[in-house]
């Protein structure tokens, strides 16, 4: 891994963790000093993250963390249904990634009592990345990691994270149980219903923000 790749991963993780919120302007000089890198290296990192949909560049205003629009939400969920449901429908219940799905469900459930929404959201992302890992395709896994990062920006735009995350902790377990009990097609059906409900909820939350 090159120095630029490591820096890109570091900044991506800060965005995913909510340390850099949607709409936040990134100061090139401040970040270069803070991370002890050249401004040229930082510009290359900005370009990489812009291509991944995590940053946006506005002429004469600089670089900011992307604030996803409703159109972005629609496209992200279209991608999720296409990839995740297809992978789930062909999954083998004994695949090693199923254990990762179970661990992610248990992790999310452990955060319900203390209402750790960030931890719950991270576990939810881990669950869906594990679904894509059922494909055994490095390219799909790599692509979906970027989609997950964009989705995390969407979630950071939601003003009521509890209402977003808590209901889907139960849904993730139901998806897993459908796969294990009734097979891949049942798991894919449960997953598609989950994604449709999630998309509707997120778009509704965006609409409420616009009204407010």
């Amino acid at each position: 891994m090159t120095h630029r790749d490591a820096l890109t991963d570091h900044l991506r993780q800060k965005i995913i963790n909510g340390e850099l919120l949607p709409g936040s302007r990134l100061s090139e000089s401040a970040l270069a000093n803070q991370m002890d890198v050249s401004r040229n290296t930082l510009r290359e990192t900005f370009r990489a993250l812009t291509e991944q949909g995590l940053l946006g560049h506005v002429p004469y205003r600089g670089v900011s963390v992307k604030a996803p629009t409703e159109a972005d939400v629609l496209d992200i969920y279209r991608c999720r249904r296409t990839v995740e449901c297809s992978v789930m429908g062909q999954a083998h219940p004994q695949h090693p990634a199923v254990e990762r799905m179970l661990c992610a469900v248990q992790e999310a459930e452990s955060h319900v009592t203390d209402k750790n929404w960030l931890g719950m959201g991270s576990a939810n992302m881990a669950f869906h990345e594990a679904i894509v890992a059922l494909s055994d395709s490095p390219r799909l896994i790599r692509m979906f990691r970027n989609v997950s990062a964009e989705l995390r920006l969407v979630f950071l735009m939601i003003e009521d994270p509890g209402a977003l995350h808590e209901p889907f902790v139960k849904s993730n377990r139901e998806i897993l149980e459908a796969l294990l009990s009734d097979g891949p097609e049942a798991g894919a059906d449960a997953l598609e219903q989950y994604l449709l409900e999630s998309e509707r909820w997120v778009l509704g939350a965006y609409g409420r923000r616009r009204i407010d």
Side-chain angles (χ1 to χ4, degrees):
M1 178 180 291
T2 67
H3 183 55
R4 193 209 71 176
D5 290 340
L7 180 60
T8 301
D9 286 346
H10 177 69
L11 274 180
R12 183 195 296 110
Q13 197 59 48
K14 287 173 75 71
I15 293 169
I16 291 172
N17 291 344
E19 297 174 46
L20 299 170
L21 295 176
S24 301
R25 185 176 179 278
L26 302 183
S27 168
E28 186 179 289
S29 58
L31 276 175
N33 289 332
Q34 176 186 336
M35 299 181 173
D36 193 26
V37 297
S38 72
R39 294 178 71 159
N40 282 337
T41 298
L42 192 59
R43 288 187 193 112
E44 291 175 1
T45 296
F46 283 172
R47 278 194 291 272
L49 291 173
T50 298
E51 289 174 0
Q52 294 172 21
L54 301 181
L55 299 181
H57 183 271
V58 180
Y60 309 112
R61 294 183 58 186
V63 176
S64 298
V65 178
K66 182 79 178 288
T69 64
E70 290 183 357
D72 292 321
V73 173
L74 288 167
D75 196 37
I76 288 168
Y77 274 91
R78 183 186 299 117
C79 177
R80 294 187 70 191
R81 285 192 299 273
T82 300
V83 174
E84 291 187 62
C85 295
S86 174
V87 169
M88 177 68 81
Q90 302 174 62
H92 194 292
Q94 300 303 316
H95 192 285
V98 173
E99 181 65 25
R100 288 172 51 191
M101 292 169 64
L102 175 60
C103 289
V105 167
Q106 293 172 337
E107 176 71 17
E109 290 171 341
S110 74
H111 292 306
V112 172
T113 301
D114 61 4
K115 301 188 184 303
N116 179 352
W117 310 128
L118 188 61
M120 201 178 294
S122 295
N124 183 47
M125 291 297 94
F127 178 81
H128 290 277
E129 288 180 3
I131 288 175
V132 178
L134 293 167
S135 69
D136 288 323
S137 168
R139 288 172 178 79
L140 274 182
I141 292 167
R142 186 167 58 245
M143 179 275 291
F144 194 77
R145 191 174 295 124
N146 290 339
V147 173
S148 293
E150 289 188 83
L151 184 64
R152 196 53 179 267
L153 284 180
V154 170
F155 289 168
L156 289 170
M157 299 279 287
I158 304 300
E159 295 175 354
D160 188 355
L164 169 67
H165 292 300
E166 192 165 5
F168 294 113
V169 174
K170 179 181 177 182
S171 296
N172 285 351
R173 180 167 284 281
E174 290 172 349
I175 292 166
L176 177 59
E177 290 177 351
L179 170 65
L180 295 177
S181 301
D182 302 317
E185 289 187 10
D189 289 343
L191 175 59
E192 183 173 21
Q193 186 60 39
Y194 163 95
L195 292 172
L196 288 170
E197 290 176 3
S198 178
E199 180 182 33
R200 281 196 293 266
W201 196 97
V202 169
L203 289 172
Y206 265 59
R208 289 189 290 275
R209 287 179 71 254
R210 192 170 57 248
I211 291 171
D212 295 342

